[in-house]
Amino acid sequence: YAQSGKKNIRLLFPMVFTKDDVDILIELVERIKIDLMREYKLKLEDLAIKIGFMIETPQAVENRDYIMRYADYVVIGTSDLSKFLKDDRYKIYASIKKVIDTASRQTRKGKNISRKSEWIKEVFVAGRLANEEKFLYFYLYLLGLYKYTYLTCLLNEGGLQRIKSYLQNKSIKDS
């Protein structure tokens, strides 16, 4: 990476619960950057590594403000979140919306930023729930609410086929 000139490295840390988890991981990444700069005689801007955290527990949802201060992107893991919240759709959807709302709010607070692309935070929704037809309506609702947040639904192959088939068999009236 260091010698290739590519700037497309992303690190995603799963099962982040607390502020301490975030602090430990950020410190580790910073140490690695320092080691790479010394070893390969690089500048900090040569190490454009994007940091992401998975938000997949109620505790991570509650710590979302702190987590997102250090994140370039977040992935909401709906499979684990659903298990922790005992498949309560209302609580799951509310948690997802809280995370996206926080990402949207933080992006608009940007620091002296000139281009919109520099202050848009990426949010990915992944896991079992993201692959269900029922979730599609909630996802479309979220897309309408958050115009300055990249919101992506990560589908597995089976989920993609189910949702494609579902959409092909629906009319606008059905919606």
Side-chain angles (χ1 to χ4, degrees):
Y1 169 79
Q3 296 174 335
S4 72
K6 294 182 181 177
K7 306 261 191 276
N8 59 352
I9 297 294
R10 290 174 175 253
L11 296 175
L12 176 62
F13 296 106
M15 284 295 170
V16 175
F17 291 87
T18 66
K19 295 174 182 181
D20 288 341
D21 293 342
V22 172
D23 291 341
I24 289 166
L25 292 166
I26 292 300
E27 185 179 325
L28 179 64
V29 169
E30 292 306 314
R31 280 192 210 161
I32 290 169
K33 283 182 179 180
I34 290 167
D35 289 346
L36 287 170
M37 289 186 324
R38 285 183 185 145
E39 186 173 341
Y40 294 101
K41 300 194 182 359
L42 299 169
K43 298 176 191 147
L44 186 59
E45 57 269 11
D46 294 330
L47 297 171
I49 299 170
K50 289 193 175 195
I51 305 296
F53 297 102
M54 286 198 74
I55 296 180
E56 49 196 332
T57 67
Q59 193 174 7
V61 172
E62 292 309 310
N63 287 313
R64 66 192 179 278
D65 283 304
Y66 191 81
I67 290 169
M68 285 192 214
R69 278 187 217 151
Y70 298 95
D72 294 302
Y73 65 101
V74 294
V75 177
I76 303 169
T78 63
S79 296
D80 286 318
L81 189 59
S82 294
K83 287 177 196 169
F84 281 106
L85 295 175
K86 298 180 181 10
D87 287 320
D88 181 326
R89 289 274 171 163
Y90 177 79
K91 287 181 180 177
I92 298 163
Y93 284 10
S95 294
I96 291 169
K97 190 175 178 308
K98 283 179 185 177
V99 171
I100 297 168
D101 190 54
T102 300
S104 178
R105 214 175 46 247
Q106 284 192 356
T107 56
R108 284 188 249 133
K109 284 185 198 172
K111 314 170 202 141
N112 197 12
I113 292 170
S114 57
R115 294 189 335 242
K116 278 186 184 176
S117 63
E118 292 177 18
W119 52 272
I120 296 176
K121 189 163 305 255
E122 296 174 286
V123 180
F124 299 89
V125 181
R128 186 192 68 189
L129 190 67
N131 286 276
E132 293 179 3
E133 297 92 339
K134 288 186 235 175
F135 184 72
L136 183 61
Y137 294 106
F138 184 62
Y139 178 68
L140 293 173
Y141 162 74
L142 294 171
L143 284 175
L145 281 181
Y146 301 105
K147 295 178 184 1
Y148 297 110
T149 303
Y150 282 131
L151 181 58
T152 305
C153 202
L154 300 176
L155 304 174
N156 61 32
E157 190 175 333
L160 180 60
Q161 291 305 320
R162 273 192 312 280
I163 289 178
K164 262 175 83 174
S165 175
Y166 178 76
L167 290 173
Q168 289 170 345
N169 295 312
K170 290 289 177 189
S171 68
I172 292 176
K173 278 187 200 176
D174 295 332
S175 301

